[in-house]
Amino acid sequence: MKDKNDHIKTNFKLEELSNKQPYTVPDDYFKELPSIIQARVVKPEQSSTPVFSWSTAWRYALPVIALAIMLGYFGLRINSDNINVQAMIDEISTEDLVSYITESEISTDELLSLIDINELDVDGMVDENIELLNDSEWDNLIDEYPEYENDI
Amino acid sequence: MEDKDLLEKLRNKESRNYGFNLLVREYQERIYWHIRKMVVDHDDADDLVQEVFIKVWKNIDKFREDAKLYTWVYRIATNECLTFLAKKKRRFFLPIGDVESELAAKIDTDNIITGDEIQLKLQKALLKLPDKQRLVFNMKYFDEMKYTEIAEITDTSVGALKASYHHAVKKIEEIINQG
């Protein structure tokens, strides 16, 4: 009987051989491979999506809370300081304020530079102050500004 | 499925996973066998196949449609194979002959060949070819690819591929006839 591999030893021609895939492969390998690969490519994307955790939440929330508390505390203090300053000024009489300004050596020009004239009701202020003048003050005023005597 | 339809699914965020699954199912066997014939060992082939498809997933946006999709995937697989084998040779400073012996021993001991003795001899003879020539031989002989397709994948001229293939066939027949 002729050996089936005799042709190998004599005159082997590649074209006589089947070109089917030569290696064995585990059962169901090609059934399972797509899901294995899919899991590998999808997994990193899922892990990159943020997962809620209290420790992470606190890590980000704490500085914000601390900042909010600080702002709230200082904001209240600033507001209460404003209220106090305004209340204190209100309590000071006009006479005391005038004497303070007189003693403080602030010139009239310096005072005027701090005031926005456009915002003031100058006419109203003049009328209001003229009404406060008594007779002797009127006389002094006319003596000081004789050119306006006919206007008053 | 046409490349165009597959690419449309792959590039659409909502259908990307589905499109990728289709692509893997479409090409997995061809790519696996392409790699397996080069690296011999199933576990190595399995690792490389997965790497190839992960690279496809990551780089699909870079794919230019001037080539066929499967040519592009084959090209990635080919590069992975050649890089793997080059690393294997560099690792432990093994000379080329020793890698060939290692792979031949695997063929002998692991009972991984499906065919008869002649198939075993053919696979061992193939290991005596340079990696790139073996690659060309596999694509032409086992995968029955056209020279133009192989030229696209390997970036080699059709003339050079024909010469390489015929030289490989002659060499294999000589090795087997001598054995």
Side-chain angles (χ1 to χ4, degrees):
Chain A
M1 190 179 153
K2 198 178 177 185
D3 191 315
K4 69 172 183 178
N5 290 321
D6 273 358
H7 64 286
I8 302 171
K9 292 168 194 160
T10 53
N11 194 19
F12 169 74
K13 290 285 175 197
L14 198 61
E15 63 206 33
E16 294 168 9
L17 193 66
S18 155
N19 67 348
K20 65 175 185 178
Q21 302 296 351
Y23 295 103
T24 55
V25 66
D27 293 342
D28 294 335
Y29 174 68
F30 293 115
K31 269 189 194 170
E32 292 161 7
L33 186 60
S35 51
I36 293 168
I37 294 170
Q38 196 88 23
R40 281 190 67 186
V41 297
V42 173
K43 203 176 175 181
E45 289 199 344
Q46 283 176 341
S47 64
S48 69
T49 54
V51 177
F52 180 80
S53 79
W54 280 108
S55 61
T56 311
W58 276 114
R59 198 169 60 207
Y60 287 103
L62 273 176
V64 177
I65 292 168
L67 187 66
I69 290 169
M70 283 168 66
L71 284 174
Y73 174 73
F74 287 112
L76 280 173
R77 276 201 61 171
I78 289 163
N79 281 338
S80 61
D81 287 351
N82 282 343
I83 291 164
N84 290 341
V85 169
Q86 193 63 48
M88 282 164 70
I89 290 171
D90 287 347
E91 282 172 15
I92 300 168
S93 67
T94 308
E95 287 165 2
D96 288 339
L97 271 177
V98 170
S99 62
Y100 167 73
I101 290 167
T102 309
E103 283 171 20
S104 66
E105 299 179 351
I106 300 171
S107 68
T108 308
D109 289 339
E110 282 173 324
L111 274 175
L112 286 172
S113 71
L114 298 171
I115 300 166
D116 187 354
I117 299 295
N118 296 325
E119 283 184 13
L120 294 176
D121 180 8
V122 178
D123 290 336
M125 283 171 72
V126 169
D127 292 340
E128 192 180 309
N129 284 304
I130 284 173
E131 283 169 16
L132 294 172
L133 296 174
N134 57 34
D135 289 345
S136 64
E137 286 168 334
W138 267 114
D139 292 339
N140 289 337
L141 191 65
I142 290 165
D143 290 341
E144 200 172 341
Y145 301 102
E147 64 270 29
Y148 295 110
E149 189 179 1
N150 295 328
D151 297 332
I152 299 171
Chain B
M1 180 177 278
E2 292 282 317
D3 277 6
K4 195 185 157 194
D5 300 328
L6 205 50
L7 282 167
E8 210 172 280
K9 285 186 172 56
L10 281 164
R11 284 171 180 161
N12 183 335
K13 206 178 172 185
E14 294 195 348
S15 60
R16 201 176 182 203
N17 284 348
Y18 173 62
F20 183 66
N21 196 276
L22 290 177
L23 180 137
V24 173
R25 287 179 193 282
E26 177 81 16
Y27 298 127
Q28 60 170 349
E29 288 201 38
R30 276 189 276 177
I31 295 300
Y32 172 83
W33 288 119
H34 180 59
I35 293 171
R36 177 74 190 273
K37 289 195 293 283
M38 291 301 290
V39 301
V40 176
D41 181 66
H42 166 75
D43 291 335
D44 289 340
D46 181 38
D47 286 345
L48 288 171
V49 170
Q50 293 186 30
E51 288 306 314
V52 167
F53 283 108
I54 287 167
K55 284 197 172 169
V56 168
W57 169 266
K58 286 180 180 169
N59 295 289
I60 195 68
D61 293 334
K62 294 177 193 162
F63 170 68
R64 291 167 309 177
E65 288 173 61
D66 52 2
K68 283 182 183 169
L69 188 57
Y70 94 96
T71 311
W72 182 66
V73 180
Y74 249 88
R75 189 193 276 259
I76 295 172
T78 302
N79 288 338
E80 286 292 309
C81 273
L82 293 176
T83 307
F84 173 84
L85 291 169
K87 273 186 193 168
K88 204 177 177 72
K89 281 165 195 166
R90 277 204 302 273
R91 208 182 298 151
F92 312 122
F93 306 103
L94 283 173
I96 293 167
D98 284 359
V99 173
E100 180 214 315
S101 306
E102 185 195 319
L103 296 178
K106 198 171 272 295
I107 289 173
D108 276 334
T109 56
D110 289 1
N111 197 26
I112 55 176
I113 298 286
T114 55
D116 51 18
E117 193 189 343
I118 184 68
Q119 194 59 258
L120 190 77
K121 281 181 180 286
L122 171 62
Q123 291 308 316
K124 285 165 85 173
L126 278 170
L127 293 175
K128 293 185 188 299
L129 300 178
D131 288 340
K132 282 184 185 170
Q133 194 173 32
R134 190 152 62 99
L135 199 73
V136 172
F137 178 87
N138 287 340
M139 284 193 273
K140 184 68 192 159
Y141 181 76
F142 288 106
D143 303 342
E144 298 179 339
M145 291 171 81
K146 292 174 185 167
Y147 281 118
T148 48
E149 291 171 330
I150 303 171
E152 232 180 285
I153 292 162
T154 57
D155 217 8
T156 315
S157 71
V158 170
L161 289 173
K162 279 182 182 176
S164 176
Y165 179 72
H166 287 294
H167 184 68
V169 170
K170 206 176 159 189
K171 205 169 165 184
I172 288 163
E173 287 178 345
E174 274 175 21
I175 293 166
I176 293 176
N177 285 328
Q178 282 168 9

